[in-house]
Structures are given as C-alpha cells and as structure tokens.
Amino acid sequence: MTLHRAFTFPGIPARVIFGSGTLAQVADAVTSLNRSKALILSTPQQAGQAQDVADRLGPLAAGMFTEAAMHTPVDVTERALAAYESADADCTIAIGGGSTTGLGKAIAIRNGADQVVIPTTYAGSEMTDILGETDKGEKTTRRDPAIRPELVIYDVDLTLGLPVPMTVTSALNAIAHAVEGLYAPDANPITDMMSVAAISAFRDHLPELVTNPAEPQARAEVLYAAWLCSATLGAVTMSLHHKLCHVLGGSFGLPHAETHAIMLPHTAGFNAVAALDRLAPVAEIMGGSVGGGLWDFAKGLGAPMRLSDLGLAEGDIARAAEIATRQPYANPRDFGQDDIAMILTAALRGTRPMT
Ligand code: NAD
C-alpha cells in the first residue's frame, strides 16, 4: 500500500462572502464582527466607492481615510492611525486593490483593529498574513497572523470597470501566487487543487475580458480564481518569483502588477528545470513549456513583456542580482547572482523562455 503524501494544511482562517451585489452585506459584515464604528479606507481614486460604503453603513461608519498609496508608506499609515483614533473607530473596511488592503493590514498590526476587505483587483493581498511596507525608500515584508483580515467581501460588480491593462497584469500577478504555490516547500493537496483550478480558470476566462471587459460571467470566474490564488498565497511560503519582484519594486520603484506579469514566465521557466513534476500542470494548462506557455499566454493578452518598458536598465541588473541574493530563501532550484542576472536580462529584453 502506498501512503498518501504527508502534508500540513494551515486552514483558511478568514470568512469569505462571494457573489454579485454582495457589497449590500457590508453593514452585516461589521456587526457580525461585533463592531459598530468602521473607518473606511481607499485610494484617492476610489474615494467615491468609499463614500458608497459609508452610505450603506449609515451610523456604523466612523469616517473615511482616502489616502492609501502603493507600497504602504509608513507615514500614510501614521496619518491613518490618527484618523482611526480621532474617529474612535473599532474596525476598518478597505475597498480597493492591494495598496488599500495593505493600509488596513498596517493599521491592524499596530492597533489590533478587525479588518473587512473588499477587493477590486486580483492582486490577492486580502487572504494573506503578509504585509509589505516602505519607510524612507526601504521596503520590508513580514508575516504575522495579526495581519490577516477577518472578513473578505468579493463583489463581482466592483470589478466590471477594472481597466483592461490592469485586469491583465493583476490577473497575471494572481497566477504568480498559484505557480509559486505549486512548488512551495509547504505546498499541500488543498493548495495544489486551488492553484490548478485557478490557473485553468484564468486560461479559460481572462482572454474574454480583453475584448469584453464588463462580461459578468467571465468577471465572476476570474475573481473566483483570484480568490483561490490569494488563499494559496496565504497558506504557503513564497520563493524566487516573489522575492525578485519585491527587489524590483522596493529598490527600483517598478510597478507591482506589471512587474509580476513580466517576471512570471522567466522565474517559472527557470524553476521548471528543478520542479518539472510540480509545474507539469502549468505546462499542461498553458500548452508548451512552463515558461514558454506562460509567456505566450501573457503576450496573447497584450501584457507588457519587457522590464525595460517599466524603466529598468541593463546597468541595473548586477545591483538587482546582488540585492536578490543577500538573503537565502526557499526555492526549488539553487541560484547565484549569475542566474538572477540571466533571468533579469531575459525579462528586461522580453525574450521567450525555452523551459
Ligand atoms: P493598487 O491597489 O495599487 O491599485 C492601483 C490603482 O488602481 C489604484 O489607484 C486603485 O485605486 C485603482 N483601482 C483598484 N481597483 C480598481 C477598479 N476596480 N477600477 C478602477 N481602478 C481601480 O494595485 P494592486 O495591484 O491591486 O496592489 C498592489 C499592492 O498590493 C502592492 O503594494 C503590493 O505589494 C501589494 N500586495 C500585497 C500582497 C500581500 O499579500 N501582502 C499581495 C499582493 C499585492
């Protein structure tokens, strides 16, 4: 008799409400947490949606803070904490992408606030215990159970207007969570199932959104896939792909979703050599090789393909490779600075990975 593969599954701690029109449940969400004064968070661009949440909450709304910014700057968090205190709030509601979710997490890790998150992109921060913050140009990332939001409301309707370029790059960002989930040292049968289901759903439904971005069924399938990716990221250890994107965002100022979108075929192709079994479903779903299949999929969607288009120069590669190899971390394939330089050069020039 063959024993089943041994594994540990950490569980999925957050409560999730998924559907169309689910924003209508936001007041019930606050009371279900035994809270009654929510500070609503958003970026300046999504202040209108924050106001909509406030209107739906009525007396349960304590105020709004609409200054969330990319990479969770600590000075913004400090202003948000002051707003939280002066409003006498007892929880937060973050409506927006990963930047707004990050602000809610940064507040929670400092004062223990309960968090409701209403994601409007596919970035996937909402289900994780991960927080990246920037202070004086330095980005640091930590994991702590206190960072993880308590309740997530996915409302498909809020994603119908997500612009096509962001739809594509944000979805590829989500696929990166699933791909790294497959070869994570703590991958388990549940995260494997979630990853494979998510990558298949993106393959089947993302292309339709490029031509028909407000199609509700495809939006629902893609948001569901994004949830699976976020839950996977929240349950496993990140490897080379996320670490490299972190360096490119934190030290070179490259935009988050676009960087993930460009890097994924190259990091996955590099790791496929050592994790072919684990990544076989990716090649099967995308067709061709792991990296080549992902590259073809991204190109077909009109995604950005070259880091040079995001502002990275050939002269930056050696420094990026040096920073990326300072700390050891889990990865199925060993690597040194030369390997990182090779991966970055291919991503900078936009060449198609062979593996
Ligand atoms: P974002 O949150 O920075 O959003 C980009 C812009 O798009 C913002 O102006 C936002 O207001 C706007 N936007 C969001 N939803 C929209 C919609 N439906 N329609 C129109 N505009 C919309 O971008 P992101 O890619 O969602 O998140 C990136 C950030 O999230 C990064 O800082 C990254 O580090 C973080 N992140 C963290 C984790 C984690 O687990 N900690 C995971 C993924 C991403």
Side-chain angles (χ1 to χ4, degrees):
M1 190 181 92
T2 313
L3 280 176
H4 195 285
R5 157 188 169 205
F7 66 91
T8 301
F9 178 60
I12 300 179
R15 185 166 159 238
V16 171
I17 298 170
F18 185 98
S20 165
T22 47
L23 188 60
Q25 298 178 48
V26 68
D28 289 345
V30 171
T31 49
S32 77
L33 295 171
N34 290 321
R35 303 292 166 205
S36 58
K37 297 188 85 178
L39 180 69
I40 302 144
L41 310 172
S42 75
T43 60
Q45 294 81 5
Q46 290 181 280
Q49 285 176 313
Q51 184 61 56
D52 181 27
V53 171
D55 294 345
R56 288 168 187 270
L57 286 180
L60 298 175
M64 298 191 345
F65 181 86
T66 59
E67 296 170 42
M70 184 76 99
H71 302 312
T72 324
V74 168
D75 58 320
V76 174
T77 300
E78 281 163 2
R79 288 204 300 281
L81 278 166
Y84 186 96
E85 274 161 34
S86 68
D88 196 23
D90 59 11
C91 63
T92 60
I93 300 178
I95 182 162
S99 297
T100 308
T101 304
L103 176 60
K105 290 174 161 182
I107 293 171
I109 192 68
R110 287 168 174 79
N111 69 6
D114 279 349
Q115 306 171 65
V116 176
V117 178
I118 308 169
T120 62
T121 71
Y122 308 127
S125 176
E126 61 276 3
M127 299 298 295
T128 82
D129 57 354
I130 306 164
L131 171 62
E133 298 182 281
T134 45
D135 194 11
K136 301 177 190 77
E138 289 271 316
K139 186 165 182 176
T140 52
T141 301
R142 52 181 153 162
R143 290 188 93 138
D144 189 308
I147 288 168
R148 199 189 301 265
E150 278 69 23
L151 205 158
V152 182
I153 301 176
Y154 290 95
D155 188 337
V156 178
D157 300 1
L158 298 174
T159 65
L160 298 180
L162 188 65
V164 169
M166 217 181 145
T167 297
V168 168
T169 53
S170 192
L172 293 170
N173 181 186
I175 294 175
H177 308 331
V179 169
E180 288 231 305
L182 288 172
Y183 58 63
D186 40 6
N188 58 71
I190 310 303
T191 54
D192 287 353
M193 276 196 300
M194 294 196 294
S195 292
V196 170
I199 298 167
S200 297
F202 280 120
R203 181 212 45 203
D204 291 344
H205 302 286
L206 189 54
E208 173 159 19
L209 294 180
V210 174
T211 48
N212 196 3
E215 208 292 306
Q217 190 58 41
R219 280 287 180 196
E221 298 293 348
V222 165
L223 187 62
Y224 173 69
W227 170 61
L228 294 172
C229 293
S230 183
T232 298
L233 183 65
V236 300
T237 303
M238 293 177 286
S239 301
L240 178 68
H241 172 83
H242 282 81
K243 301 292 179 182
L244 265 184
C245 290
H246 176 92
V247 169
L248 294 171
S251 301
F252 296 88
L254 267 54
H256 180 85
E258 291 91 330
T259 302
H260 274 269
I262 294 170
M263 289 302 298
L264 178 61
H266 301 282
T267 53
F270 177 80
N271 278 336
V273 174
L276 201 51
D277 281 359
R278 302 298 304 149
L279 289 176
V282 179
E284 198 174 308
I285 295 164
M286 291 298 171
S289 64
V290 172
L294 286 166
W295 192 90
D296 293 341
F297 184 61
K299 193 167 174 59
L301 295 166
M305 302 304 290
R306 289 189 300 257
L307 289 180
S308 58
D309 292 341
L310 305 185
L312 196 78
E314 300 257 353
D316 293 327
I317 287 179
R319 189 163 73 91
E322 187 274 313
I323 297 171
T325 48
R326 274 184 200 161
Q327 310 281 344
Y329 41 80
N331 197 59
R333 182 173 169 187
D334 290 339
F335 58 86
Q337 284 191 33
D338 287 354
D339 299 303
I340 304 297
M342 181 195 71
I343 293 169
L344 288 175
T345 302
L348 186 127
R349 296 176 183 169
T351 51
R352 184 180 184 276
M354 300 301 290
T355 47

